[in-house]
């Protein structure tokens, strides 16, 4: 498990250490630095996968700013503009899995590969050693799902490499339908994630059962389209004699397809998986947002690590309920509230107690209900 991340001169952060738990919630106003935290982890993962962190031959090691997971621009975009007290370099420090590593990169205004400083970085330069040192970040089971995900479509791409060799759903969840098709008979091994009254413990039946909690009566299938390199997703509603025809995603509400990558990411997670989720509550009704915390909480209780950016008080309350109900330990949670302070971002971290209460309630932290009610009752 990753225990902390320290960002130095990275985007909105001068220097900040962010503690990570099995289920970490990042929240706060717009443009307060939440996505930057997810991006820093995705940047390391992307630079590892491309070989930039561990180059062979004469190539220089560095951070790859633009790739499959994130497109951050150039040095000028990622270095904290008002750098000063912590020197001119960009630093990413990760602690976890009983180890720690540091990457310190030089600044070059127009470069999209920022060279690592040998003398300031502390991390193995070969891929196998790096994966062995920090398996949570560099091992199998990594997912990063951005806020902008796949919309309902008639067909989806079929990439053998993504779903079979890498087990990757894609940053927009674009490989989800093909993953579900290829892995539908895989067992959901985690007891916490398995819904008992589902037809079986297969990934497909468990996905259906979780989706039914969001939308009662729904079922779904993922199948190949013969003669093409695409796959199809279809939904049915009801059962027995009242069962509907198979509907295309484009003829079914947006929210179902939008949430599917998150359901599949959580259900296919294993102990040691790392799942980064950006605004998973998008397009979900309020009860569905609480359900999102139940789902991600179950993945965390089953041994995966979740880092989630959210604007949803229902997700926050859902997480508090998971703790209160005893499904997730209070110590397995971390909540960080981001806000701008002058030219940098600062973070307040209320602690969830075992009864679900929060240690503090900073101004602006999910207080809109109360603010509006005060004015309505005035
Ligand atoms: N190079 C930079 N130097 C200083 N601040 C930056 C830099 N790049 C982005 N920011 C700041 O980071 C914030 C955006 O961070 P982001 O993580 O996308 O926010 P959120 O996800 O909370 O909406 C903005 O306030 C922006 O001003
Ligand atoms: Mg964001």
């Amino acid at each position: 498990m990753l225990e902390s991340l320290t960002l130095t001169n990275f985007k909105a952060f001068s220097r900040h250490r962010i503690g990570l738990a099995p289920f970490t919630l990042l929240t706060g106003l717009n443009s307060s630095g939440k996505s930057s935290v997810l991006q820093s982890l995705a940047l390391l993962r992307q630079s590892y996968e491309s070989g930039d962190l561990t180059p062979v031959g004469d190539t220089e090691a560095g951070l790859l700013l633009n790739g499959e997971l994130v497109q951050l621009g150039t040095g000028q975009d990622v270095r904290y503009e008002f750098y000063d007290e912590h020197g001119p370099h960009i630093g990413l420090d990760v602690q976890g899995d009983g180890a720690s590593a540091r990457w310190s990169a030089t600044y070059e205004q127009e470069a999209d590969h920022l060279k690592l400083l040998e003398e300031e970085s502390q991390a193995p330069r070969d891929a196998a050693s790096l994966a062995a040192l920090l398996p949570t970040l560099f091992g199998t089971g990594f997912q990063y799902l951005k806020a902008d995900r796949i919309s309902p479509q008639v067909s989806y791409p079929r990439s053998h490499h993504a779903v079979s060799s890498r087990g990757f759903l894609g940053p927009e969840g674009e490989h989800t339908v093909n993953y579900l098709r290829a892995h539908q008979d895989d067992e959901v091994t985690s007891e916490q994630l398995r819904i008992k009254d589902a037809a079986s413990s297969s990934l497909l039946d468990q996905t259906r059962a979780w989706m039914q909690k969001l939308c009662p009566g729904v079922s779904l299938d993922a199948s190949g389209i013969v003669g093409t390199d695409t796959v199809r997703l279809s939904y049915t509603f009801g059962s027995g004699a009242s069962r509907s025809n198979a509907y295309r995603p484009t003829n079914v509400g947006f929210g179902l397809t939008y949430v599917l990558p998150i359901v599949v990411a959580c259900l296919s997670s294993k102990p040691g998986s790392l799942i980064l989720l950006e605004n998973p509550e998008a397009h979900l009704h309020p009860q569905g947002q609480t359900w999102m915390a139940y789902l991600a909480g179950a993945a965390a209780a089953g041994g995966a690590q979740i880092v989630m950016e959210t604007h949803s008080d229902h997700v926050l309350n859902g997480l508090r309920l998971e703790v209160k109900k005893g499904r997730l330990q209070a110590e397995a949670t971390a909540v960080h509230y981001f806000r701008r302070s002058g030219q940098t971002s600062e973070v307040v971290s209320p602690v969830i107690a075992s009864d679900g209460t929060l240690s503090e309630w900073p101004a602006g932290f999910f207080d809109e209900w109360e603010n509006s009610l005060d004015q309505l009752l005035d």
Side-chain angles (χ1 to χ4, degrees), residues 143 145 162 167-176 179 261-262 264-265 268:
Q143 303 290 352
L145 288 165
F168 187 49
L169 302 178
E172 292 166 10
E174 62 272 29
H175 301 302
T176 304
Y179 186 94
I262 294 163
V264 174
S268 59

Side-chain angles (χ1 to χ4, degrees), residues 65-66 73-77 106-114:
L65 300 187
N66 301 313
T74 64
Q76 178 170 325
D77 295 299
T106 51
Y107 172 76
E108 250 188 280
Q109 187 174 348
E110 293 300 327
D112 59 2
H113 172 100
L114 300 183

Side-chain angles (χ1 to χ4, degrees), residues 118-185:
E118 287 268 1
E119 58 282 13
E120 286 190 26
S121 300
Q122 288 163 17
R125 286 290 174 91
D126 76 281
S129 306
L130 198 46
L133 187 79
L134 283 171
T136 305
L137 185 54
F138 299 120
T140 55
F142 174 89
Q143 303 290 352
Y144 173 48
L145 288 165
K146 297 194 198 191
D148 188 13
R149 299 191 293 275
I150 50 164
S151 54
Q153 286 164 26
V154 174
S155 63
Y156 295 93
R158 177 176 179 143
S159 159
H160 176 79
H161 179 63
V163 308
S164 298
S165 316
R166 298 171 67 205
F168 187 49
L169 302 178
E172 292 166 10
E174 62 272 29
H175 301 302
T176 304
V177 180
N178 191 35
Y179 186 94
L180 195 55
R181 179 198 62 81
H183 293 272
Q184 54 185 292
D185 296 326

Side-chain angles (χ1 to χ4, degrees), residues 3-125:
E3 279 148 27
S4 77
L5 172 68
T6 304
L7 306 178
T8 304
N9 291 336
F10 184 76
K11 295 190 70 181
F13 298 94
S14 170
R15 173 166 290 168
H16 202 87
R17 179 184 176 279
I18 294 132
L20 301 170
F23 193 147
T24 305
L25 212 71
L26 313 174
T27 176
L29 302 186
N30 292 114
S31 263
S32 56
K34 306 175 296 294
S35 293
S36 305
V37 173
L38 299 181
Q39 285 165 358
S40 66
L41 292 170
L43 172 62
L44 285 171
R45 175 77 188 196
Q46 160 171 301
S47 306
Y48 170 77
E49 288 200 359
S50 64
D52 287 66
L53 282 188
T54 57
V56 282
D58 294 337
T59 331
E60 285 189 272
L63 298 174
L64 179 70
L65 300 187
N66 301 313
E68 181 187 24
L69 300 179
V70 282
Q71 297 81 42
L72 299 176
T74 64
Q76 178 170 325
D77 295 299
V78 295
R79 184 175 64 173
Y80 175 55
E81 188 182 346
F82 313 100
Y83 73 96
D84 183 17
E85 55 175 317
H86 304 298
H89 307 307
I90 296 156
L92 304 173
D93 288 63
V94 177
Q95 272 198 307
D97 298 334
S100 64
R102 162 177 297 163
W103 293 271
S104 180
T106 51
Y107 172 76
E108 250 188 280
Q109 187 174 348
E110 293 300 327
D112 59 2
H113 172 100
L114 300 183
K115 286 180 206 144
L116 290 182
L117 283 152
E118 287 268 1
E119 58 282 13
E120 286 190 26
S121 300
Q122 288 163 17
R125 286 290 174 91

